[in-house]
Amino acid sequence: MTRPTRAERLALPLGVTAIRDLTQAAGGCIRPIQVRRTNTATGEVDYQFLPCRSTLEAACPPCAERARNLRAEQCRTGWHLDTEPDLTPADPDESQEFWLTARAAAQTQRDKAAANGQDTAELDQLLAELDHELTASGVRGNLSARTSGNDSKTGKRRSRSTRRRQDAPGLPKRPLSDRTTGQVYTAPDGKTYRPSMFLTLTLDSYGKVTEDGTPADPGSYDYQRAARDAIHFPALFDRLIQNLRRYLGYDVQYFAAIEPQRRLAPHAHIAFRGAISRADLRQVIAATYHQVWWPSTETVRYSDDELPGWHEASGNYIDPITGEVLLSWDQALDSIGSADPPRHVARFGPKFDAQGVLAGSKDAGRCVRYLTKYLTKQIADCHEAGTDPQRAHAYLLTEALRYEPCSPRCANWLRYGIQPKGARPGLIPGLCKGKAHRYENLGYAGRRVLVSRKWSGKTLTDHRADRKAWLMAMLDLPATDPDTNGYRWERVAPADQDHMPLTQRLMHILADRTAWKATLAEARRRVEDLNQNPSTPDRSAA
Ligand SMILES: [Zn+2]
Ligand SMILES: [Zn+2]
């Protein structure tokens, strides 16, 4: 056997690249996860390949596209719903039961450790991972929110003065009904309409911007307010929904996508179920604000060359020169005087865009596409910075976010002489790991899609199951896989001996996709034959 020459080898298509392109073109995941399946009765082992399920196009285009389609499906399903969604939870299935039992055991362990004054960090991590598994298996709701709400160290909840409560904007309050569906209108010809709403909502101005989204005068553009508004955007959005429900008197449902505008401030596209008048919207938007009662960051107490040090014995941060203990988070909150203004007030801008949309109309389809258009991209990748001013604008915003505290636990508080909530060693101002500071998020650390609980009455997992059931019916296959019992499933780690390299995993995916497509094409042909030749007695015989 002669060895191929170097030139011959270079002329061959690059193995991984070529097979990845083919897999992607066939709609298969390009980062498949290898799973070892062991038959618990016989000990026989085989391998399954699961899609990575990334929502980002930069990571896996086919998975991101599937995720986007699923969101679009969810959006369409809930928008013009005319009956209340059924929210009766189904009984947990076997795998859900397994994770729930594990979750309960871990919670008991954690609470015991906390009661004995032990460190619970590791167990909290475990709880978070189990919650993740539970969500992935289709269990709804956030278990941790209900089980670890209080500060475990002190066991007491902070009470705020009533003056600082901000749930009373100048809006009339109407009696609240449980209804989540919109009103029906009857035309003179007797036809009924149930219009819904599409709203685009932006933040206030931080200074005039030009066509390309960059400030006309960068020197006077208010980057600090832009940074703070972006950080507190999720809270402001929540406030808007609460106010709308109070004002309209019914349980308004929404599907919202959060994206950056050209000027890099977050804005929201929101589909509301039911029509809401522009006048009502204007009034509620104008009355909605979110006050941030955090300590002041006016004065920089410790800049980067003289940072507070961690005092191991007392578990506090101390002044590097005097050794004085810094204010704790609670002390800092308590020292906000009753005459002090809030540290920040976030509001929406006065301009908004609202249109009524009818069920099943062309507009409805267009809006759904619009709502899901950017979901497969990171916030910062939605608008590419192509010019120097655009790059400079993005840079200045990131700089403004660098030392801006993103949460009570943010390391940046040390810069202002305050120990962050839950202080621990190793915190360095300017290097907080919070999502808001990362360039790709531009200050917005919340979720990209916000869906109210009673939107479609279904989770993404439910929508995925619906799609699978439809495919199985189309293929005349049993809806549930009879092979799921009696197996042990484990993810194969890269260090394991039987771990397959990417090329090999991709070949499995490609082969599966090809076979699957052929089966689907065959099924389509069968349906077409049946339609043309309805007298065929037994369609499975075809
Ligand atoms: Zn994938
Ligand atoms: Zn932070």
Side-chain angles (χ1 to χ4, degrees), residues 461-483:
T461 312
D462 297 334
H463 284 289
R464 198 176 288 129
D466 284 356
R467 179 165 288 212
K468 190 171 172 202
W470 176 84
L471 268 173
M472 292 314 214
M474 179 95 180
L475 295 173
D476 262 346
L477 290 170
T480 47
D481 187 354
D483 281 354

Side-chain angles (χ1 to χ4, degrees), residues 149-170:
N150 273 10
D151 191 320
S152 56
K153 262 191 190 161
T154 57
K156 67 167 192 220
R157 219 180 260 271
R158 286 189 53 81
S159 60
R160 289 208 187 149
S161 81
T162 32
R163 198 187 65 79
R164 292 195 192 141
R165 291 175 58 127
Q166 50 170 335
D167 49 2

Side-chain angles (χ1 to χ4, degrees), residues 146-332:
R146 265 170 267 143
T147 46
S148 59
N150 273 10
D151 191 320
S152 56
K153 262 191 190 161
T154 57
K156 67 167 192 220
R157 219 180 260 271
R158 286 189 53 81
S159 60
R160 289 208 187 149
S161 81
T162 32
R163 198 187 65 79
R164 292 195 192 141
R165 291 175 58 127
Q166 50 170 335
D167 49 2
L171 286 175
K173 195 174 166 176
R174 297 178 189 166
L176 196 69
S177 88
D178 279 348
R179 175 170 68 89
T180 76
T181 51
Q183 222 143 30
V184 182
Y185 298 89
T186 311
D189 63 358
K191 238 184 165 180
T192 57
Y193 297 92
R194 193 189 291 271
S196 283
M197 203 71 189
F198 184 70
L199 173 69
T200 299
L201 207 50
T202 57
L203 286 165
D204 213 344
S205 166
Y206 309 117
K208 196 171 181 284
V209 289
T210 55
E211 192 85 316
D212 66 352
T214 64
D217 173 21
S220 66
Y221 191 82
D222 196 344
Y223 281 102
Q224 187 186 64
R225 200 154 63 88
R228 291 182 183 179
D229 275 359
I231 289 174
H232 298 290
F233 194 83
L236 182 62
F237 181 88
D238 278 354
R239 189 71 57 196
L240 174 81
I241 299 298
Q242 286 170 26
N243 287 344
L244 260 182
R245 286 179 177 161
R246 259 169 53 117
Y247 180 74
L248 297 173
Y250 74 96
D251 197 2
V252 184
Q253 300 296 306
Y254 59 89
F255 179 106
I258 314 296
E259 280 163 22
Q261 292 174 276
R262 254 182 185 284
R263 59 171 181 152
L264 306 183
H267 73 161
H269 296 303
I270 316 167
F272 284 114
R273 180 146 80 231
I276 306 169
S277 81
R278 295 180 63 87
D280 284 348
L281 278 173
R282 184 169 297 115
Q283 205 175 342
V284 174
I285 291 168
T288 295
Y289 55 89
H290 171 66
Q291 296 179 335
V292 183
W293 290 100
W294 283 358
S296 162
T297 48
E298 287 286 288
T299 327
V300 175
R301 303 284 288 277
Y302 303 100
S303 52
D304 291 347
D305 47 0
E306 35 144 27
L307 292 173
W310 176 253
H311 186 244
E312 187 64 52
S314 71
N316 279 299
Y317 276 92
I318 55 169
D319 184 290
I321 294 158
T322 66
E324 203 183 327
V325 173
L326 265 54
L327 280 186
S328 73
W329 176 252
D330 279 353
Q331 285 169 334

Side-chain angles (χ1 to χ4, degrees), residues 78-153:
W79 204 355
H80 300 280
L81 222 56
D82 50 9
T83 50
E84 295 294 336
D86 178 14
L87 293 176
T88 332
D91 288 336
D93 66 19
E94 216 170 294
S95 81
Q96 290 169 340
E97 236 167 65
F98 168 80
W99 290 116
L100 279 168
T101 317
R103 178 66 173 75
Q107 182 74 47
T108 317
Q109 266 183 320
R110 187 224 171 256
D111 291 348
K112 238 186 231 161
N116 292 327
Q118 291 158 355
D119 182 28
T120 59
E122 223 164 281
L123 285 164
D124 283 332
Q125 176 75 23
L126 176 68
L127 288 184
E129 270 166 33
L130 288 169
D131 281 344
H132 185 78
E133 291 296 343
L134 275 166
T135 312
S137 74
V139 172
R140 291 177 204 174
N142 184 356
L143 290 164
S144 24
R146 265 170 267 143
T147 46
S148 59
N150 273 10
D151 191 320
S152 56
K153 262 191 190 161

